[in-house]
Amino acid sequence: SVMDVRFFVNGRMQVELERVFVIVLPWADPLEDDMEKVKKRVIDIFLSLAVMVLILWWLIPIIALLIKLESKGPIFFMQLRSGKNNKPFVCYKFRTLKVNIESDEKQVTKQDNRFTTIGRFLRKTNIDELPQFLNVLQNTMSVVGPRPHMLQHTKQFAEISQYYMTRHYLKPGITGWAQINGYRGEIKNKELLLKRIEYDIWYMENWSMWLDMRIILLTGLKLIIWDKNAV
């Protein structure tokens, strides 16, 4: 019989010869190593504490006041998202939309009429994502990793691509390889989804501390030059 290796087509393979047999093994991801996991976690904690101490302690009261002055509702938007091993977790953000009943199902678009004025600014500048550093400290997210999606979208996307759930082997991130390569914001079609999956899996296979540092620096640069794909 012939082994079906389609699962490995988009990734690297390790081929070994054993007498008359050819053994095909999946390439071990860098983050399967316990020491590499510790390194990534140390970076996460250090960066998150730095953001908390230098930025969030004074920014949260200001953003909270602006949100409250414009619309009724909570300061933070807390939503169940798909985490590592597809385990749901509560993801934190500053609230950018008017309180509505579609928030757990309807994807946010650029012309979404649910935006508040301050919410549109927070979303465009990515300031709305800053509370996710609390998620990082809770160990439900990493600074860098595949972006988490709402539970309903995870179910839909998994039906579109057999490789989609592969990205859940890692903790989700505030930013990621797909995002700095232009694949962020609204997912309008199947092609955009497949490209994100491709970049997320590439990140999993090629992770290093220096790759994370590069992604973080490029994310900061995109914030400065105003990413056109931001919603």
Side-chain angles (χ1 to χ4, degrees):
S1 62
V2 179
M3 177 183 177
D4 185 353
V5 294
R6 286 177 296 173
F7 179 81
F8 306 113
V9 168
N10 289 340
R12 294 174 294 179
M13 293 182 293
Q14 178 178 336
V15 180
E16 297 181 0
L17 288 176
E18 183 66 29
R19 296 184 181 178
V20 296
F21 299 102
V22 176
I23 302 174
V24 181
L25 302 171
W27 194 275
D29 293 327
L31 282 171
E32 289 181 357
D33 183 274
D34 289 339
M35 185 55 66
E36 298 304 310
K37 289 179 182 178
V38 170
K39 291 179 183 177
K40 186 171 177 63
R41 183 62 184 151
V42 168
I43 293 173
D44 282 346
I45 293 173
F46 175 80
L47 290 176
S48 298
L49 289 176
V51 170
M52 296 279 291
V53 171
L54 298 176
I55 300 175
L56 284 181
W57 74 269
W58 59 265
L59 184 62
I60 287 178
I62 296 173
I63 298 300
L65 178 61
L66 293 174
I67 291 174
K68 281 293 187 181
L69 286 175
E70 183 175 3
S71 65
K72 295 181 179 179
I75 297 165
F76 296 103
F77 176 63
M78 295 181 285
Q79 184 182 61
L80 282 176
R81 297 284 179 97
S82 301
K84 184 177 180 181
N85 296 324
N86 201 30
K87 182 179 179 180
F89 73 99
V90 178
C91 183
Y92 306 126
K93 299 180 68 173
F94 285 121
R95 181 171 62 85
T96 59
L97 306 179
K98 302 168 187 174
V99 176
N100 66 94
I101 61 174
E102 300 177 299
S103 58
D104 288 330
E105 298 179 0
K106 185 178 178 182
Q107 188 175 190
V108 177
T109 64
K110 284 190 176 183
Q111 305 304 322
D112 206 309
N113 59 14
R114 295 175 296 169
F115 273 121
T116 60
T117 302
I118 182 61
R120 189 173 294 277
F121 171 77
L122 294 176
R123 188 95 176 191
K124 193 70 177 179
T125 56
N126 276 57
I127 292 175
D128 68 314
E129 308 282 1
L130 287 178
Q132 288 168 27
F133 282 100
L134 296 172
N135 283 117
V136 177
L137 288 177
Q138 291 177 344
N139 204 22
T140 54
M141 290 182 67
S142 179
V143 175
V144 181
R147 285 295 295 157
H149 295 138
M150 64 179 73
L151 305 187
Q152 179 67 20
H153 285 169
T154 295
K155 182 178 179 181
Q156 293 173 1
F157 296 157
E159 293 174 353
I160 294 174
S161 171
Q162 63 177 319
Y163 300 112
Y164 177 76
M165 298 306 294
T166 305
R167 64 201 295 281
H168 292 87
Y169 284 121
L170 293 184
K171 280 184 291 186
I174 298 175
T175 185
W177 184 241
Q179 282 64 45
I180 65 158
N181 280 283
Y183 295 98
R184 57 163 297 190
E186 182 184 0
I187 299 177
K188 300 178 182 178
N189 52 55
K190 179 179 178 180
E191 287 68 30
L192 285 175
L193 174 63
L194 294 180
K195 290 301 292 185
R196 289 195 188 194
I197 296 170
E198 178 184 334
Y199 277 97
D200 286 338
I201 292 177
W202 184 94
Y203 170 77
M204 292 172 59
E205 294 177 339
N206 295 276
W207 178 86
S208 70
M209 289 178 59
W210 308 117
L211 179 59
D212 270 8
M213 290 297 119
R214 179 184 175 190
I215 292 172
I216 291 167
L217 290 173
L218 288 174
T219 298
L221 181 61
K222 280 186 173 287
L223 291 178
I224 295 172
I225 63 176
W226 201 276
D227 189 349
K228 66 179 182 178
N229 291 318
V231 175

